Amino acid sequence: MSDFVIPAPEQAFVPVEGGGRFPVRRIFCVGRNYADHAREMGHEPADPFFFGKPADAVLTGGADMPYPPATQDLHFEAELVVALSGGGRDIAPEDAAAMVWGYAAGIDFTRRDLQAEAKEKGRPWDMAKGFDNSAVCGMLHPVSETGLLETGSIRLSVDGAVRQQGDLSQMILPVPQIIAHLSRLVALAPGDLIYTGTPAGVAACAPGQKLLVEIDGLSPLTTRIV
């Protein structure tokens, strides 16, 4: 019997290839982790930084992506998603690989007009990045099957036309360094997801378009904007 005064929220999760569900604790995202993307956004490559999305922003199972309110400029960003089975503070880069449970293809959606306004006014990005269904995630694959993903093609297509194309090796901070750096800022824990940044080619999308993310070694991710 629960003593919660309202019904407890449902646990957010990501489905696992072959069966099972990975519970989501927190979602962390890395900004400007590919040099070409940093340049297309008007910045010279520098130290990547972090922001977050709520756990219940995750959208899975190939579900449609409802076009969000309060924007006229919804952008896609294809990303490798890392799921953690370990955590802690001040994790050394050489110990970080042991924290990885698996990987998935993902899309970090951004209300770009709200982000631009927030930048101009020196305000937080929360409503530009952390809105409902903004963290699309494909099927998780355990690292025991994929091995550590350090290289491999990452691409996003819109209605069959390739819009983003890069390689995981182009990350400024590779996955072990992401985990180590992030653990100096917050305590990581099992259930955390990390969206690791996007290659160049981000652009607006519109209702009716079908997005496909493909990362070597992982199940493809599809979603339709509705």
Side-chain angles (χ1 to χ4, degrees), residues 119-196:
K119 289 178 179 179
E120 180 182 355
K121 296 180 178 179
R123 294 176 178 174
W125 291 8
D126 296 59
M127 292 301 100
K129 285 287 192 178
F131 53 94
D132 298 340
N133 305 304
S134 61
V136 182
C137 191
M139 298 290 286
L140 268 176
H141 290 251
V143 70
S144 59
E145 296 179 3
T146 65
L148 296 175
L149 296 185
E150 299 173 322
T151 64
S153 175
I154 174 172
R155 55 193 170 273
L156 181 144
S157 303
V158 179
D159 292 336
V162 176
R163 302 296 298 274
Q164 290 186 270
Q165 178 77 54
D167 194 278
L168 301 178
S169 63
Q170 295 170 331
M171 290 185 197
I172 296 172
L173 284 182
V175 171
Q177 280 71 26
I178 291 172
I179 294 170
H181 192 103
L182 189 54
S183 74
R184 295 198 291 269
L185 301 171
V186 295
L188 298 176
D192 289 342
L193 297 181
I194 303 175
Y195 281 63
T196 58

Side-chain angles (χ1 to χ4, degrees), residues 194-216:
I194 303 175
Y195 281 63
T196 58
T198 193
V202 302
C205 50
Q209 292 183 322
K210 183 177 180 180
L211 278 57
L212 168 67
V213 179
E214 299 169 287
I215 298 176
D216 288 350

Side-chain angles (χ1 to χ4, degrees), residues 60-134:
T60 66
D64 292 340
M65 165 64 182
Y67 198 94
T71 185
Q72 300 298 319
D73 197 20
L74 178 68
H75 279 216
F76 54 76
E77 301 184 14
E79 312 214 358
L80 173 70
V81 181
V82 177
L84 300 187
S85 58
R89 295 183 183 273
D90 299 319
I91 299 167
E94 58 269 24
D95 297 328
M99 307 296 159
V100 176
W101 188 88
Y103 305 96
I107 304 174
D108 164 18
F109 277 106
T110 303
R111 293 193 281 204
R112 194 71 75 196
D113 43 2
L114 297 191
Q115 185 188 41
E117 180 183 6
K119 289 178 179 179
E120 180 182 355
K121 296 180 178 179
R123 294 176 178 174
W125 291 8
D126 296 59
M127 292 301 100
K129 285 287 192 178
F131 53 94
D132 298 340
N133 305 304
S134 61

Side-chain angles (χ1 to χ4, degrees), residues 41-63:
M41 299 303 294
H43 303 277
E44 283 303 308
D47 291 337
F49 56 92
F50 299 93
F51 57 91
K53 294 175 183 276
D56 63 2
V58 72
L59 180 70
T60 66

